[in-house]
Amino acid sequence: MNDLSFSALEKLVADLGDIPVVTDQKVVRRRSRDFFWYSPVLNEQLDGKSADLIVAPRDEKDIVRTAAACARHRVPITVRAGGTGNYGQAVPLKGGVLLDVTALNRIEWVKPGLIRVDAGAKLNAIDTELQPQGWELRMHPSTKRTATIGGFVAGGSGGIGSVAFGGLREGGNILAARIMTVEEEPRILELRGDAAQKINRTFGTTGIITALEMPLAPAWRWIDVLVAFDDFMEAAAFGYEVALADGIVKKLLSAITWPVPSYFGALRPSCPDGASILIAMIAEPSLESFRSLLGGRGKITLEMPTDDSPGKVPLYEYTWNHTTLQVLKSDRSVTYLQCLYPDDRPMEKVLEMRELFADEVLQHLEFIRFGGRVTCSALPVVRYSNADRLNEIISLHEQHGVYIANPHVFSVEDGSRFKRADADQLGFKHEVDPHGLLNPGKMRSFVTPRP
């Protein structure tokens, strides 16, 4: 039991009527976790944090009823779907209700280049439905097969596809969001255009997302390609060249230094000893141009159509934060960072960081577009010693002009490059969550009004 009184929870459950509820504490505790254990710092801070019960709405009407009951009884509510976050975004800090929205998975409609879909729909299921119609989502995380569209937007970032379309914060990458307020009489709001950014990367603190309208991209036949290089900087330089080559249609470019590929399990036979690699997803018509640009600089060791059907492991599950996971499967002593290199000299800065940290920080780059410019994000694997040294590594990156989005903190502000909640998001939270019940503790700037 958390800080809530048994009486408040009992009254809440009575108000919910026939809405499915789970009170088995083993199940509730398990479902209250995400992948925060990637961070030894967060593992210590968040271990044991849990909701008091799970509520599983069947439709939007059930969410209205749940939100109203939570507001009446002042019970915290944390929206939950796939639970694939890496820094406790959906881990309840104050107990209360874990709102499992995965039953809301309907595709409302598909139009050329557009989709309207419930927040609990899995990304892989969405693309499975879209691809026969010639479309797919513009981007997705490496957890595509388990993540939901609502969780992806609420977590806010980018992923596979960002080399072409940037991150979710780029204009046009979220078209609209349908959200619900948490009040005694919940309101349903439609946020369109720039207003939809009020719920992007706020960890569910600025309204309960029930549906999203997203832009689509043409569904190419993607080819997974792995290229081995003797030197990491050669792999990075080639990835940067491909990222800049607008005529080559690509969805993923990931440069990864040795020895990280030595942890890659089923992919290991395609990763020569001592070689750094570039993982790519290239549209089939662009393969010839990709090979021509490569020339004799590296060796293609794997080339096959992307297949993320059950029982298969696509190359994208060795990239982005799956890269860290592949290492953690064998070595739980490591952790990671999230970096953004300046777009005016990314390769110069990559080399600078490589020389500064040597084998303590193992380079892993993801090429992206950011503000219309090509650069690289980085999720390096860090050999962890202690929190002080980790903070020193973060500080040294920032002193050298490499931005850090800290994955070892759990608030919206502290994990951001900007170190504060956007004023519009903060103001919007006051409007839609007047009692401060939505995922409390995750927006540090928010102060709950006095009764």
Side-chain angles (χ1 to χ4, degrees):
M1 182 69 64
N2 288 286
D3 296 336
L4 299 170
S5 70
F6 179 78
S7 174
L9 292 172
E10 198 173 39
K11 291 175 181 177
L12 172 75
V13 172
D15 283 358
L16 296 179
D18 65 346
I19 300 174
V21 172
V22 176
T23 57
D24 183 322
Q25 287 305 292
K26 287 185 178 179
V27 176
V28 175
R29 284 194 294 269
R30 184 176 70 250
R31 292 282 289 124
S32 294
R33 294 176 62 87
D34 64 9
F35 287 81
F36 63 79
W37 53 266
Y38 274 34
S39 164
V41 178
L42 291 181
N43 197 35
E44 183 176 329
Q45 294 175 347
L46 299 180
D47 191 38
K49 298 292 184 183
S50 174
D52 292 292
L53 71 161
I54 299 170
V55 178
R58 298 155 296 190
D59 52 31
E60 192 175 75
K61 290 181 180 178
D62 282 356
I63 298 181
V64 171
R65 190 170 178 178
T66 304
C70 285
R72 277 195 301 273
H73 301 294
R74 300 299 192 264
V75 174
I77 182 169
T78 302
V79 184
R80 181 79 167 198
T84 60
N86 293 113
Y87 25 91
Q89 296 104 309
V91 174
L93 300 179
K94 304 292 184 180
V97 166
L98 195 75
L99 190 71
D100 181 352
V101 298
T102 51
L104 280 77
N105 58 10
R106 177 181 59 107
I107 294 177
E108 186 175 335
W109 50 254
V110 178
K111 300 176 182 178
L114 302 171
I115 186 171
R116 177 104 175 175
V117 61
D118 286 352
K122 286 188 175 181
L123 298 170
N124 209 33
I126 295 171
D127 268 356
T128 298
E129 181 73 22
L130 288 172
Q131 284 165 350
Q133 304 176 56
W135 299 100
E136 65 182 21
L137 293 167
R138 284 184 175 181
M139 67 189 77
H140 61 79
S142 61
T143 52
K144 176 185 178 184
R145 297 200 284 183
T146 51
T148 61
I149 188 69
F152 181 40
V153 170
S157 182
I160 293 86
S162 289
V163 68
F165 293 102
L168 286 169
R169 70 168 58 199
E170 300 293 325
N173 279 337
I174 304 172
L175 299 178
R178 181 179 172 91
I179 72 158
M180 189 178 302
T181 66
V182 178
E183 303 171 278
E184 288 80 354
E185 295 185 8
R187 293 169 292 141
I188 294 173
L189 307 177
E190 183 84 5
L191 307 177
R192 302 201 64 86
D194 289 344
Q197 291 294 331
K198 294 176 181 179
I199 50 87
N200 179 23
R201 202 190 177 280
T202 59
F203 307 169
T205 62
T206 56
I208 300 171
I209 305 170
T210 62
L212 288 157
E213 206 168 300
M214 304 293 286
L216 304 176
W220 293 96
R221 186 170 188 258
W222 296 106
I223 307 299
D224 286 351
V225 184
L226 191 151
V227 188
F229 294 84
D230 292 333
D231 178 72
F232 172 72
M233 290 307 300
E234 290 181 357
F238 177 63
Y240 187 43
E241 283 185 54
V242 180
L244 289 169
D246 290 337
I248 296 177
V249 180
K250 57 268 180 181
K251 195 172 185 179
L252 175 69
L253 293 168
S254 310
I256 304 169
T257 191
W258 183 266
V260 175
S262 68
Y263 294 91
F264 279 4
L267 191 61
R268 182 67 178 86
S270 299
C271 303
D273 287 349
S276 293
I277 63 173
L278 181 79
I279 289 176
M281 287 176 67
I282 305 296
E284 190 172 37
S286 290
L287 269 178
E288 183 178 357
S289 298
F290 178 85
R291 296 191 198 104
S292 177
L293 187 62
L294 175 63
R297 289 179 287 177
K299 179 182 179 183
I300 294 177
T301 60
L302 179 70
E303 184 178 300
M304 60 186 295
T306 301
D307 186 354
D308 53 13
S309 60
K312 304 294 184 180
V313 183
L315 275 192
Y316 67 70
E317 288 191 357
Y318 293 91
T319 69
W320 287 84
N321 244 330
H322 259 78
T323 306
T324 312
L325 179 60
Q326 298 296 344
V327 181
L328 284 167
K329 287 177 182 179
S330 301
D331 185 356
R332 291 292 291 270
S333 70
V334 303
T335 187
Y336 75 114
L337 288 177
Q338 295 179 157
C339 316
L340 180 67
Y341 282 92
D343 56 44
D344 59 340
R345 55 195 190 286
M347 292 300 97
E348 174 188 327
K349 285 296 179 179
V350 168
L351 179 59
E352 198 173 308
M353 294 301 97
R354 186 169 174 81
E355 292 176 342
L356 181 62
F357 296 110
D359 290 338
E360 186 180 16
V361 178
L362 301 173
Q363 291 293 338
H364 160 207
L365 309 178
E366 296 290 347
F367 289 92
I368 62 171
R369 286 188 176 275
F370 192 86
R373 304 285 295 273
V374 172
T375 185
C376 50
S377 177
L379 296 94
V381 174
V382 179
R383 299 191 192 278
Y384 182 76
S385 54
N386 56 66
D388 287 343
R389 176 55 181 166
L390 184 62
N391 287 329
E392 186 179 14
I393 291 170
I394 290 171
S395 179
L396 286 168
H397 274 83
E398 293 177 331
Q399 289 173 30
H400 285 80
V402 178
Y403 302 111
I404 297 289
N406 191 348
H408 303 282
V409 292
F410 54 73
S411 75
V412 171
E413 299 94 328
D414 296 323
S416 169
R417 292 189 305 110
F418 304 106
K419 311 302 180 190
R420 60 177 176 81
D422 182 276
D424 193 39
Q425 291 179 332
L426 178 59
F428 189 62
K429 179 171 175 64
H430 280 278
E431 179 184 338
V432 301
D433 183 24
H435 307 302
L437 299 174
L438 275 169
N439 208 357
K442 299 297 174 59
M443 186 178 283
R444 178 175 47 76
S445 305
F446 178 82
V447 178
T448 306
R450 293 181 180 179

